[in-house]
């Protein structure tokens, strides 16, 4: 969960390296660095903190050179500091790395015993020393890389430059993604298509175990055994425009506002509005007796929403588990189980490992994934893409609602295929789902009210979110979003569970946000809300017009559009995201890149 870039060009590359790192900053942002071959010699600049710190360093102390590598870091081994920032050097070699070298302690001990001196606390530095040691013993650069890779355990995407090699950047991947980008008289390797997006949209996605050598004109790719291989070239949709903030202050704000479009784009892939049914290709449920969802964070909450809806509408049992737990126990799986991984990035290490665990046991796998060329998208048997477009803010918003759109489509398709609903009911559900983009757009119009609410809530130390049914996972998602955006401690609880413990947290300064659409659970939720009021808890109730009419006078009410129950999660996602966004902005946090987080969590 760092970002890497390597460039061979015919003019100075430091500007391009920094531009690429700007695109990659979502992957990590506690330090950054670049190294180039300047007049044939290695030179580097590094800085602790956001990329801007490195940009400032480079502007006062420019770096020349037509061959270079760059890195933006999310610390795993070694504190975020300039000394631990990549690139790491040893002799003629400079290396940037995304991943974790698990056997670095033993490798480092060997290297130190043979006289290598280390300057950082990172796992990565061993890679630079190992390549250097191989070069010193006479190996050519690619041989030195290969012999090093053969001894590494763990996950890596690497970019390497070597002093004296003025037309070469080497790269390798195992467990972490790496792409090759083809320019005109310049070539690139980078963590993803966004990294090379400013320079080219012609891309090769390296396969697990591949390593590569690029020069100004071409790329030579080898598989893990060292065989020269061809990998397909793709022309990716030009995403340059999509990754600009446009008129918005933050990517988070932009991405929240993109949800009418992102949900529409996703719907268009799964719903046939003319036939009034899910598209035929969505999923054949024959032989599937159970779904096992694995996911992390926000994607997990999308899965939980999916569980409620799929079990309710399609009658298919759905188990769901946090991927980091699933992979380290022995879940009981039967052959009729379809494992469904949900992930925006398609690279989350725990989710990927859970998917692989199921594949290895012969189970069918599907991935609901936003990054369509990601490892999960390539490894799952069935790919159910979300079409939210690149999500740059570290906090997931539009990918979350797109995941729910896919899950609702699956619920309808499963229900129909299993004969749980008739054609008329299927058409009704489809009509309701097709309302989602319009109702999400309408919900966005409450933003001013939420901005005012944020002014009042921003000084809180703790907040509670309550909901029943589908609003329970939504309450947990609202709490997660708020923690990330504002560093306010928040919890999402099932409203009915309050009295079993969390109610002890209620006092007159802890705001409680209650999600209460006027459905069959409304009265139950109101009872829980009254329990909070009775204990002087300040309550904000998010509800529709009918719910507002029945709201107790003590509560502050935010009214969202009245939607069909089927899509309430999509409607209520919007106020929750806006609360998190506006409280974060009021508090002055960096909502796009909150502390300690990274967008793509490719470590355990
Ligand atoms: C929350 C958030 C994270 C991710 C989680 C999974 O706003 O963004 O909780 O949802 O890290 O990431 P993906 O979906 O890429 O697997």
């Amino acid at each position: 969960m760092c970002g890497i870039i390597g460039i061979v060009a015919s003019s100075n590359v430091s500007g391009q390296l920094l531009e690429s790192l700007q695109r990659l900053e979502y992957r990590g942002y506690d330090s950054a660095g670049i190294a180039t071959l300047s007049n044939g010699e290695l030179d580097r600049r590094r800085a602790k903190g956001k990329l801007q710190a490195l940009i400032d360093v480079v502007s006062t102390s420019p770096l020349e050179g037509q061959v270079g590598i760059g890195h933006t870091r999310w610390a795993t081994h070694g504190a975020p500091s300039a000394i631990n920032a990549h690139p790491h050097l040893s002799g003629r070699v400079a290396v940037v790395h995304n991943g974790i070298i698990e056997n670095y302690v033993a490798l480092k001990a060997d290297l130190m015993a043979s006289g290598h001196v280390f300057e950082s606390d990172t796992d990565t530095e061993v890679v630079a020393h190992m390549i250097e040691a191989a070069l010193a013993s006479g190996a050519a650069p690619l041989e030195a890389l290969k012999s090093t890779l053969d001894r590494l355990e763990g996950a890596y995407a690497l970019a390497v430059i070597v002093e004296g090699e003025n037309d070469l950047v080497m790269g390798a991947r195992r467990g972490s993604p790496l792409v090759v980008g083809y320019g005109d008289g310049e070539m690139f390797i980078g963590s993803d298509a966004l990294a090379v997006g400013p320079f080219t949209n012609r891309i090769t996605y390296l396969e697990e175990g591949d390593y590569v050598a690029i020069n100004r004109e071409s790329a030579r790719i080898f598989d893990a055994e060292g065989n020269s291989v061809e990998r397909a070239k793709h022309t990716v949709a030009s995403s340059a425009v999509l990754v600009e903030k446009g008129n918005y202050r933050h990517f988070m704000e932009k991405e929240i506002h993109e949800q009418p479009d992102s949900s529409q784009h996703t719907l268009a892939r799964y719903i046939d509005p003319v036939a009034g049914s899910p598209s035929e290709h969505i999923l054949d449920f024959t032989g599937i007796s159970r779904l096992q969802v694995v996911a992390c964070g926000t994607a997990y909450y999308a899965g939980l929403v999916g569980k409620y809806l799929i079990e309710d509408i399609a009658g298919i049992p759905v188990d769901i588990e946090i991927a980091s737990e699933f992979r380290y126990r022995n879940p009981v799986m039967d052959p009729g189980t379809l494992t469904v991984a949900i992930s925006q990035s398609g690279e989350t290490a725990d989710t990927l490992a859970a998917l692989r665990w199921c594949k290895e046991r012969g189970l069918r796998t599907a991935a609901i994934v936003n990054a369509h060329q990601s490892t999960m998208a390539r490894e799952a048997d069935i790919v159910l893409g979300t079409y939210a477009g690149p999500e740059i803010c570290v906090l997931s918003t539009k990918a979350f609602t797109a995941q729910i759109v896919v899950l609702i489509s699956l619920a309808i398709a499963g229900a129909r295929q299993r004969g749980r609903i008739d054609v008329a009911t299927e058409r009704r559900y489809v009509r309701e789902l097709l309302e989602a983009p319009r109702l999400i757009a309408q919900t966005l119009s409450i933003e001013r009210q939420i901005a005012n609410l944020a002014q009042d809530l921003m000084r809180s130390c703790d907040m509670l979110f309550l909901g029943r049914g589908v609003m329970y996972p939504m309450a947990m998602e609202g709490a997660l979003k708020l923690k990330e955006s504002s560093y306010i401690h928040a919890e999402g609880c099932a409203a009915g569970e309050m009295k079993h413990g969390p109610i002890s947290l209620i006092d007159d300064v802890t705001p409680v946000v209650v999600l209460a659409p006027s459905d069959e659970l409304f009265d139950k939720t109101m009872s829980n809300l009254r329990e909070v009021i009775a204990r002087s808890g300040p309550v904000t109730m998010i509800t529709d017009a009918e719910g507002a009419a029945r709201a107790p006078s003590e509560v502050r009410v935010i009214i969202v559009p009245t939607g069909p129950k089927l899509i309430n999660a999509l409607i209520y996602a919007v106020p929750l995201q806006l609360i998190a966004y506006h409280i974060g902005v009021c508090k002055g946090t960096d909502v796009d890149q909150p502390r300690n987080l990274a967008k793509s969590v490719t470590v355990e």
Side-chain angles (χ1 to χ4, degrees), residues 205-329:
Y205 296 92
L206 294 183
E207 306 261 315
E208 231 5 38
D210 283 357
Y211 61 102
V212 62
I214 57 168
N215 59 28
R216 286 180 183 85
E217 299 302 332
S218 62
R220 284 178 297 147
I221 303 175
F222 305 88
D223 66 14
E225 276 71 51
N227 306 309
S228 174
V229 286
E230 292 289 322
R231 302 285 184 223
K233 272 189 205 163
H234 304 265
T235 302
V236 293
S238 175
S239 50
V241 175
L242 293 172
V243 296
E244 302 296 341
K245 271 185 252 178
N247 292 330
Y248 293 98
R249 278 175 299 170
H250 300 100
F251 280 111
M252 183 172 180
E253 186 186 22
K254 173 175 180 254
E255 288 162 6
I256 291 171
H257 282 265
E258 279 173 351
Q259 291 177 108
D261 285 343
S262 50
S263 58
Q264 176 61 55
H265 292 154
T266 305
L267 267 175
R269 301 287 175 145
Y270 294 103
I271 295 294
D272 180 342
V274 179
S277 63
S279 318
E280 271 171 21
H281 65 262
I282 181 167
L283 183 64
D284 180 357
F285 281 87
T286 314
I288 296 174
S289 54
R290 173 177 169 267
L291 302 181
Q292 171 67 59
V293 177
V294 285
C296 302
T298 287
Y300 170 78
Y301 295 133
L304 211 45
V305 170
K307 171 184 167 71
Y308 276 77
L309 294 175
I310 294 170
E311 291 197 340
D312 180 27
I313 296 170
I316 301 169
V318 182
D319 287 330
I320 171 158
E321 190 157 354
I322 295 162
S324 54
E325 287 299 317
F326 179 87
R327 65 182 292 199
Y328 288 119
R329 58 184 199 89

Side-chain angles (χ1 to χ4, degrees), residues 296-299 342-345 348 394-396 480-481 484 601:
C296 302
T298 287
I342 307 179
S343 176
Q344 187 287 127
S345 62
T348 300
V394 166
L395 282 64
S396 188
L480 176 65
K481 243 10 21 121
E484 292 177 304
V601 187

